[in-house]
Structures are given as structure tokens and as C-alpha cells.
Amino acid sequence: MAKGFSGLGAFAGGLAEGLRAGQEMGLRRQYVGRKAKADERDAEFHQAKMDEIDYNKEKRARLRAANDEIVAGWPDAMQRPGQYSTQAQPLRLALGLSAISAQTPTVVDTRAAGLASVDEPVAQAQRSTSSDEMIGKRMLIGNLLEDPDELSRMASVYRKYGLLEEMAPWMSQAYTAKKKRIPDALHLLLSGDVKGARAILRKGGIKLGDDPIRTISKSPQQNVWKFKFENGREEDIDLKEFAAKFFPENSLK
């Protein structure tokens, strides 16, 4: 009988050991399974990010093509792909707006033969303004937003390139800003005429409680002004960042 119990104990011990081993194997399989699923999710996430990057690049390429087509329809634009002369524009930058324009990257037509080897003065002469910048400047200091026919043509071009859904809100916001005389106030502020800026904003329906004040900034790249509204609200606005909102490519950010 004792031997029977002894054998039963050995059997029970072996069974328990087998169960523990089985549990450990099950846990290892679960870990491997979870790890595989986690790796699969990471791979899918990475692929999704790569797809998003590729999609954004493709969308920006379509936007540049659309902007080029828009500008090519202007009589003062050079009929040369990828290059538009700043000298051909009948626009004069308001004092200080050139500082904003200087922050906008220019486009150089690198397809010209031997461009890398030409002298610096010649290379500087080849420097040109992108179609994106030309559209932004005409919105800020030209009459583009007051030309319904041209705005309709722009919308049709953006629709052609599958971008109307993204660009229509941007065009609407720019048009609203123009009605509120914001670009005009921007020019006056950059020229140092704070009282004129306050007065023209009031004509556009934006009532300030005091003249705008330029704040001291550590960065020379900033041009920040404090606006105090009649309702007591205050807001700091970087004029360079604000002006950049009129450039088409910034609408995709």
C-alpha cells in the first residue's frame, strides 16, 4: 500500500511538473505571439507614417504644379517653367515687408546649363521667386483678393489638381482677412505707422483699445506686436508668421 502511495506521489509530482512546464510553454507562446503582434503593429505604423510622408510630398508637388499654372496665366510672369522674375512684378513691397519676403526661400532654375559654375553676380541674377511666393505677395500687397475672376480661376486650377478641398478654406480665410483690412494694417505696422494701423483695422471691424506695441524679442527673426482689444483681450502676434499664412504652401501645414 505504501508503495502504491509512493508511486501515486511520484505520479502526482510528475503531473504537476508537466503542468508547470506546459504553463511555461503556454506563457512563452503567448509572449511570442504578443511580441509578433506588437512588431506587426509597429511595422504597420511605420508604413502608415511612410505612406503619409509620401502622400504629403505628392500633395505638395501637386500644389507647386497648380501654383505654377496659376502664375503662368499672369501677363507679367515669365513663361519659363520653375522660374518667375521678381523684376516682372508690378508690385512694390511696403517698407518692412521685404524682411518677410527675405525669409521665404527662393527658387533657382538649376536646369540652366553650367549654373553651378557661373560667377556669383550671374547666379544672383538668376535667382527667382517661386510661384507660391508670388501668389502670397499678391494677396498681401496686390489686388488679387479683389479680383473675383482670378479667384475663380485659381479655384478651378486647384480643383483640377485635386486640391480644392484643402485650398478653398485658405482662400476664404485670406479673403476675410482682406475685408477686415488686416494686410493693410500689416503694411502700416511694418512701416512704423501704428496709429494708421489701428485706424484701418477699425474700418475693417477690428477695434483696438490702444495702439499696437512692438515687443522686445531675443530673436531678430521675430517681429512680435502686442494687440490690446476694446473688450480687454490681449494677443501677441508675430507679423512674419502671420504674413506667411497668405502663402499657399503654408495652408498644408
Side-chain angles (χ1 to χ4, degrees), residues 162-221:
L163 294 167
L164 186 59
E165 183 178 351
E166 291 86 349
M167 303 310 294
W170 166 75
M171 294 176 67
S172 177
Q173 290 167 7
Y175 179 75
T176 300
K178 184 72 173 180
K179 287 179 64 177
K180 291 182 177 180
R181 310 295 295 273
I182 291 175
D184 301 325
L186 176 66
H187 303 161
L188 291 170
L189 284 176
L190 293 170
S191 301
D193 185 358
V194 294
K195 293 188 179 299
R198 180 183 176 187
I200 206 163
L201 284 174
R202 179 172 287 272
K203 289 182 179 179
I206 299 176
K207 299 177 181 180
L208 299 180
D210 202 349
D211 293 341
I213 301 173
R214 183 169 183 177
T215 62
I216 299 175
S217 175
K218 296 181 180 179
S219 172
Q221 302 299 322

Side-chain angles (χ1 to χ4, degrees), residues 3 7 13 18 21 23 42 55 73 80 86 95 107-108 113 130 133 144 155 165 171 174 185 198 228 233 237 250 253:
K3 289 182 179 180
Q23 288 176 344
D42 289 343
Y55 175 72
R80 183 178 181 183
T86 55
L95 180 64
V107 176
V108 177
S130 70
E133 186 178 1
L144 180 57
E165 183 178 351
M171 294 176 67
R198 180 183 176 187
K228 296 181 180 180
R233 183 172 64 90
I237 299 176
N250 287 316
K253 292 182 178 179

Side-chain angles (χ1 to χ4, degrees), residues 64-210:
R64 285 191 292 271
N67 290 339
D68 285 349
E69 183 169 328
I70 289 169
V71 171
W74 295 348
D76 57 349
M78 290 178 61
Q79 302 302 309
R80 183 178 181 183
Q83 184 171 5
Y84 305 97
S85 171
T86 55
Q87 295 180 352
Q89 301 173 63
L91 303 174
R92 299 187 63 182
L93 296 181
L95 180 64
L97 191 60
S98 56
I100 293 175
S101 178
Q103 303 302 319
T104 306
T106 54
V107 176
V108 177
D109 190 350
T110 55
R111 288 170 291 189
L115 184 61
S117 61
V118 296
D119 294 335
E120 181 64 24
V122 178
Q124 189 67 27
Q126 292 290 331
R127 191 172 296 278
S128 60
T129 304
S130 70
S131 56
D132 179 77
E133 186 178 1
M134 287 187 69
I135 293 172
K137 284 180 179 179
R138 286 204 164 189
M139 282 192 162
L140 280 167
I141 57 179
N143 66 343
L144 180 57
L145 292 170
E146 300 167 2
D147 187 342
D149 292 337
E150 184 57 25
L151 291 175
S152 295
R153 188 179 76 88
M154 288 176 62
S156 67
V157 172
Y158 287 136
R159 181 184 295 109
K160 171 184 173 181
Y161 286 86
L163 294 167
L164 186 59
E165 183 178 351
E166 291 86 349
M167 303 310 294
W170 166 75
M171 294 176 67
S172 177
Q173 290 167 7
Y175 179 75
T176 300
K178 184 72 173 180
K179 287 179 64 177
K180 291 182 177 180
R181 310 295 295 273
I182 291 175
D184 301 325
L186 176 66
H187 303 161
L188 291 170
L189 284 176
L190 293 170
S191 301
D193 185 358
V194 294
K195 293 188 179 299
R198 180 183 176 187
I200 206 163
L201 284 174
R202 179 172 287 272
K203 289 182 179 179
I206 299 176
K207 299 177 181 180
L208 299 180
D210 202 349

